[in-house]
Amino acid sequence: MPDSSPSSSRPPQVGRRTLLGAAAAATAAPVVLGSASRAAAAPAPRKKPRALPGGGDLGPNVLVFDPSTPGIQARLDEVFRQQESAQFGTGRYALLFKPGTYSGLNAQLGFYTSIAGLGLSPDDTTINGDVTVDAGWFNGNATQNFWRSAENLALVPVSGTNRWAVAQAAPFRRMHVRGGLNLAPSGYGWASGGYIADSRIDGQVGPYSQQQWYTRDSAIGSWLNGVWNMVFSGVEGAPAQSFPNPPYTTLATTPVSREKPFLYLQGSEYRVFLPEKRTNARGVTWGNGTPRGTSLPLTQFYVARPGVSATTLNQALEQGLHLLLTPGIYHLSEPLRINRANTVVLGLGYATLIPDGGVTAVKVADVDGVRLAGFLVDAGPVNSPTLLEIGPRGASRDHSANPTTVQDVFIRIGGAGPGKATTSMVVNSRHTIIDHTWVWRADHGDGVGWETNRADYGVVVNGDDVLATGLFVEHFNKYDVQWFGQRGRTIFFQNEKAYDAPNQAAIQNGSLKGYAAYRVGDSVTSHEGWGLGSYCYYNVDPTIVQHHGFAAPVRPDVRFHNLLVVSLGGQGQYECVINDTGSPTSGTSTVPSTVVSYP
């Protein structure tokens, strides 16, 4: 692959997400020209567009290394210097390592940087060294270490422990750490993460100041501590259930899971591996060598480059190709329409889709087995009614054997500039699995204000039998999550209510004080959630009172386990946890109010 030097980017912009964890620290139609005499002439037949090719070069922002590549550390450092503090910059990078052994490396990861091995197993690609995320750029505060990832590598940390001090939208997937894993920044400053899946950490995981964390289908040596909300499902070595003290929510298995697609090399040929679905999953998928699943050659993908039009991307989809989005920013004049079952849309290096003119970025038909993974949707300045739609309204087909998965797909409204969307993600298709998403109405950066980046609703689930594993949704003007489908399940939820509500009247919801972070619709008869947390930090008007974090009909099969609400430093308060149940928060002590079981 060709190498290229990182280009310049915008300087970092930071703002109000700096007081998130005091406790944790202690946390138009075209015109046709022609004469009138030709107006009645029959139009010439439209030429069928030339077929688009599959496969091809991955582009200049995918840097591919093998053990004999000279100057690897210098290239890694060069990318990091650009991306370290470029929180809302335009740079996007994927760092890919061919199978083999590498020594003496420290891959520091900044914003919009992904690192991954190109083997079928993490153990095919070993780095004797570290993949590091720290928070020196932000004075030791890791609460803004978003949008970066590590995947499919084995690490032998130099000190015995690898540092991964991240916040939201920073997955650690399919990794083998032959040692320990420290989730806090050096100095143990504030931290607000995070997500691990399909990984093995031989030693201890130390979250230290991390406020919350979700670990799925993994194996760990041990887990050190918990601050507010540590959730485990299908994790060998997880601590025992003990919420709220320590705040561990532990499920022996994950009901349904299917790991994220990933790029790998078979000889000199790039392929995309598609892991199979597991039920009642526990532990890693790769423990016995080759994982179970199928693969596709890169020739079956349209390898997209930034600047390509939505029309071309849709032509590729209609042609039967999958999409591989190489790192960069893609402006969409129309939605990407995914109408074919088993279509894969895989992003590298936080490929970013921006819908122009108020369109929806992605629309998925009511078909089996679509896999969306590894990209960011950034709202445009013209309001979009929705940004991502999984299935049309009224979708009702049974997809239990082959569900659609949405994995490491992140949504942002504002921050990089003004953006608006009425609803960010709508899930209409049954049996959809939302596996790690951060849906964020920005609280800092450019284009931020109560009406400037207006976004009323984060995630709306209308489909039945939907499962969310790792649901992060924050700062929406009204409801962050609304769930209307039957038999929905959520394992781990993290939320902050909108900081910037100007006053109590702005969030008044009829007779209720504020909109719940997570609301189950009144007609729902079956729903279940485990390990759900909502925080408030009303810094514009600290006198605002939020009645509750969670709202649900009172029915025996609508059940919640291990809920909490927290007032961050007394900037606003909750009266209850769920409905009218649970103690109010009070004072400035940043102590959670909890409900272990509801009803």
Side-chain angles (χ1 to χ4, degrees), residues 79-98:
V79 172
F80 180 64
R81 280 193 297 270
Q82 175 189 320
Q83 299 301 116
E84 179 184 10
S85 57
Q87 182 171 178
F88 299 112
T90 58
R92 304 285 188 273
Y93 289 92
L95 313 173
L96 305 183
F97 286 75
K98 295 180 180 181

Side-chain angles (χ1 to χ4, degrees), residues 278-303:
R278 297 199 291 170
T279 57
N280 298 317
R282 182 174 174 85
V284 300
T285 63
W286 46 270
N288 295 319
T290 303
R292 298 177 66 89
T294 59
S295 72
L296 298 169
L298 199 62
T299 53
Q300 293 185 21
F301 285 76
Y302 178 72
V303 179

